[in-house]
Amino acid sequence: NAGVMQNPRHLVRRRGQEARLRCSPMKGHSHVYWYRQLPEEGLKFMVYLQKENIIDESGMPKERFSAEFPKEGPSILRIQQVVRGDSAAYFCASSKQGAGMDTEAFFGQGTRLTVV
Amino acid sequence: KQEVTQIPAALSVPEGENLVLNCSFTDSAIYNLQWFRQDPGKGLTSLLLIQSSQREQTSGRLNASLDKSSGRSTLYIAASQPGDSATYLCAVRAGTALIFGKGTTLSVSS
């Protein structure tokens, strides 16, 4: 049973380009979460999605960032017109249940985005 | 607003020592608490999940306790090994999101 798969592992973009980060949840998991880890800071929640629905995007910057989890295929985190401050490690997690005592999150290896 | 603090930020111990990592949180209304391990440049590996109704969980040489009323959790590592060297993260779930501490970076020397 493969774990949470993220790709690419490393991504370099020039300022102003678009970055697309992909996440395939663990088999049987329908809940996906995106987190960002900035240098010297802890992981911060960005967005929570179920199939075809955004449930909570309270941690997502209002501009340039969007996320989707289509009926078929991986979840995508898109960053438009990237700036140097977007350089970070982006982690995806998945769980079998939504919010609750039994909800255990499993994380992918992350995508390390570098904006030059 | 929930805040999670981990002390110490860094810890160096010789191989074989037993050690305790501390995690505190400001709001006791949580669903559960999860301990993770993160190796440099890698993802997070889930170590233990403690539900809010539980007091502790054990896995091998790891034991995690939870005192929800005082907002504290500890991760006990027995007989530490160089392979335990990593950053240990504590996270609480109060809703849809996990709230993370900044971690304790552990170095075990042989």
Side-chain angles (χ1 to χ4, degrees):
Chain A
N1 184 13
V4 177
M5 303 300 292
Q6 289 189 250
N7 68 81
R9 293 289 306 278
H10 300 274
L11 182 61
V12 179
R13 284 286 177 266
R14 295 186 185 279
R15 280 178 294 169
Q17 290 185 319
E18 178 179 285
R20 280 193 176 217
L21 288 62
R22 294 175 183 76
C23 169
S24 295
M26 284 180 70
K27 188 176 180 181
H29 288 192
S30 58
H31 302 264
V32 166
Y33 314 79
W34 286 93
Y35 290 81
R36 177 165 65 174
Q37 188 174 39
L38 291 165
E40 306 304 322
E41 293 191 21
L43 279 94
K44 304 290 186 190
F45 168 77
M46 299 180 73
V47 62
Y48 162 44
L49 310 101
Q50 283 182 269
K51 282 288 187 182
E52 301 185 271
N53 292 302
I54 296 175
I55 308 300
D56 181 355
E57 55 182 349
S58 58
M60 191 94 99
K62 295 286 184 271
E63 297 179 350
R64 302 187 298 108
F65 285 72
S66 62
E68 63 178 15
F69 189 14
K71 187 176 181 181
E72 301 291 337
S75 175
I76 307 285
L77 178 68
R78 182 201 291 185
I79 311 172
Q80 295 177 302
Q81 299 172 352
V82 296
V83 301
R84 289 226 171 101
D86 296 333
S87 296
Y90 291 82
F91 290 96
C92 171
S94 73
S95 64
K96 191 175 286 188
Q97 296 100 351
M101 281 201 300
D102 295 338
T103 302
E104 183 172 8
F106 295 88
F107 280 74
Q109 293 292 298
T111 293
R112 278 146 187 87
L113 172 66
T114 302
V115 180
V116 297
Chain B
K1 180 188 170 188
Q2 179 74 266
E3 291 183 2
V4 179
T5 303
Q6 291 188 247
I7 293 173
L11 182 63
S12 292
V13 299
E15 183 176 7
E17 212 167 274
N18 302 325
L19 56 100
V20 173
L21 307 181
N22 296 293
C23 171
S24 61
F25 47 96
T26 53
D27 187 342
S28 62
I30 63 170
Y31 286 129
N32 60 43
L33 183 146
Q34 215 170 335
W35 282 94
F36 295 90
R37 167 184 173 142
Q38 185 176 27
D39 292 281
K42 305 287 187 184
L44 281 69
T45 300
S46 180
L47 297 173
L48 289 164
L49 170 78
I50 310 177
Q51 297 179 8
S52 61
S53 59
Q54 298 174 326
R55 298 283 293 184
E56 67 177 335
Q57 283 287 339
T58 298
S59 176
R61 294 183 293 109
L62 305 179
N63 176 277
S65 68
L66 174 64
D67 184 342
K68 207 174 70 155
S69 60
S70 68
R72 294 183 182 184
S73 175
T74 61
L75 179 66
Y76 175 83
I77 302 177
S80 57
Q81 303 170 357
D84 294 330
S85 298
T87 296
Y88 290 80
L89 298 167
C90 164
V92 298
R93 181 182 298 278
T96 55
L98 282 169
I99 309 298
F100 281 85
K102 290 189 176 182
T104 294
T105 299
L106 173 65
S107 176
V108 181
S109 55
S110 56

